[in-house]
mmCIF file with all atom_site columns, all heavy atoms in Angstrom:
data_model
loop_
_atom_site.group_PDB
_atom_site.id
_atom_site.type_symbol
_atom_site.label_atom_id
_atom_site.label_alt_id
_atom_site.label_comp_id
_atom_site.label_asym_id
_atom_site.label_entity_id
_atom_site.label_seq_id
_atom_site.pdbx_PDB_ins_code
_atom_site.Cartn_x
_atom_site.Cartn_y
_atom_site.Cartn_z
_atom_site.occupancy
_atom_site.B_iso_or_equiv
_atom_site.pdbx_formal_charge
_atom_site.auth_seq_id
_atom_site.auth_comp_id
_atom_site.auth_asym_id
_atom_site.auth_atom_id
_atom_site.pdbx_PDB_model_num
ATOM 1  N N   . THR A 1 166 ? 17.222 9.059   8.121   1.00 94.00 ? 407 THR A N   1
ATOM 2  C CA  . THR A 1 166 ? 17.316 8.633   6.661   1.00 94.00 ? 407 THR A CA  1
ATOM 3  C C   . THR A 1 166 ? 16.045 8.051   6.074   1.00 94.00 ? 407 THR A C   1
ATOM 4  O O   . THR A 1 166 ? 15.044 7.888   6.793   1.00 94.00 ? 407 THR A O   1
ATOM 5  C CB  . THR A 1 166 ? 18.326 7.519   6.472   1.00 94.00 ? 407 THR A CB  1
ATOM 6  O OG1 . THR A 1 166 ? 17.816 6.275   7.235   1.00 94.00 ? 407 THR A OG1 1
ATOM 7  C CG2 . THR A 1 166 ? 19.681 7.731   7.168   1.00 94.00 ? 407 THR A CG2 1
ATOM 8  N N   . ALA A 1 338 ? 6.909  -16.055 -6.598  1.00 98.00 ? 579 ALA A N   1
ATOM 9  C CA  . ALA A 1 338 ? 7.654  -16.562 -7.732  1.00 98.00 ? 579 ALA A CA  1
ATOM 10 C C   . ALA A 1 338 ? 7.470  -15.710 -8.947  1.00 98.00 ? 579 ALA A C   1
ATOM 11 O O   . ALA A 1 338 ? 8.357  -15.449 -9.705  1.00 98.00 ? 579 ALA A O   1
ATOM 12 C CB  . ALA A 1 338 ? 7.259  -18.105 -7.965  1.00 98.00 ? 579 ALA A CB  1
ATOM 13 N N   . ASN A 1 361 ? -1.595 -11.314 -15.743 1.00 98.00 ? 602 ASN A N   1
ATOM 14 C CA  . ASN A 1 361 ? -2.825 -12.073 -15.805 1.00 98.00 ? 602 ASN A CA  1
ATOM 15 C C   . ASN A 1 361 ? -3.034 -13.126 -14.797 1.00 98.00 ? 602 ASN A C   1
ATOM 16 O O   . ASN A 1 361 ? -4.002 -13.332 -14.136 1.00 98.00 ? 602 ASN A O   1
ATOM 17 C CB  . ASN A 1 361 ? -3.078 -12.583 -17.196 1.00 98.00 ? 602 ASN A CB  1
ATOM 18 C CG  . ASN A 1 361 ? -3.135 -11.509 -18.317 1.00 98.00 ? 602 ASN A CG  1
ATOM 19 O OD1 . ASN A 1 361 ? -3.350 -10.293 -18.003 1.00 98.00 ? 602 ASN A OD1 1
ATOM 20 N ND2 . ASN A 1 361 ? -2.854 -11.867 -19.536 1.00 98.00 ? 602 ASN A ND2 1
ATOM 21 N N   . GLN A 1 415 ? -5.465 4.792   -28.210 1.00 97.00 ? 656 GLN A N   1
ATOM 22 C CA  . GLN A 1 415 ? -6.579 3.992   -28.713 1.00 97.00 ? 656 GLN A CA  1
ATOM 23 C C   . GLN A 1 415 ? -7.203 3.122   -27.605 1.00 97.00 ? 656 GLN A C   1
ATOM 24 O O   . GLN A 1 415 ? -8.389 2.912   -27.377 1.00 97.00 ? 656 GLN A O   1
ATOM 25 C CB  . GLN A 1 415 ? -6.199 3.043   -29.916 1.00 97.00 ? 656 GLN A CB  1
ATOM 26 C CG  . GLN A 1 415 ? -7.426 2.268   -30.466 1.00 97.00 ? 656 GLN A CG  1
ATOM 27 C CD  . GLN A 1 415 ? -6.943 1.445   -31.741 1.00 97.00 ? 656 GLN A CD  1
ATOM 28 O OE1 . GLN A 1 415 ? -5.755 1.856   -32.331 1.00 97.00 ? 656 GLN A OE1 1
ATOM 29 N NE2 . GLN A 1 415 ? -7.740 0.629   -32.172 1.00 97.00 ? 656 GLN A NE2 1
ATOM 30 N N   . LYS A 1 445 ? 4.254  7.255   -14.897 1.00 86.00 ? 686 LYS A N   1
ATOM 31 C CA  . LYS A 1 445 ? 5.627  7.419   -15.066 1.00 86.00 ? 686 LYS A CA  1
ATOM 32 C C   . LYS A 1 445 ? 6.339  7.232   -13.773 1.00 86.00 ? 686 LYS A C   1
ATOM 33 O O   . LYS A 1 445 ? 5.782  7.693   -12.623 1.00 86.00 ? 686 LYS A O   1
ATOM 34 C CB  . LYS A 1 445 ? 5.919  8.783   -15.629 1.00 86.00 ? 686 LYS A CB  1
ATOM 35 C CG  . LYS A 1 445 ? 5.342  9.046   -17.031 1.00 86.00 ? 686 LYS A CG  1
ATOM 36 C CD  . LYS A 1 445 ? 5.724  10.489  -17.431 1.00 86.00 ? 686 LYS A CD  1
ATOM 37 C CE  . LYS A 1 445 ? 5.145  10.777  -18.859 1.00 86.00 ? 686 LYS A CE  1
ATOM 38 N NZ  . LYS A 1 445 ? 5.452  12.172  -19.304 1.00 86.00 ? 686 LYS A NZ  1
#
Side-chain angles (χ1 to χ4, degrees):
T407 66
N602 295 340
Q656 186 176 344
K686 295 179 182 178

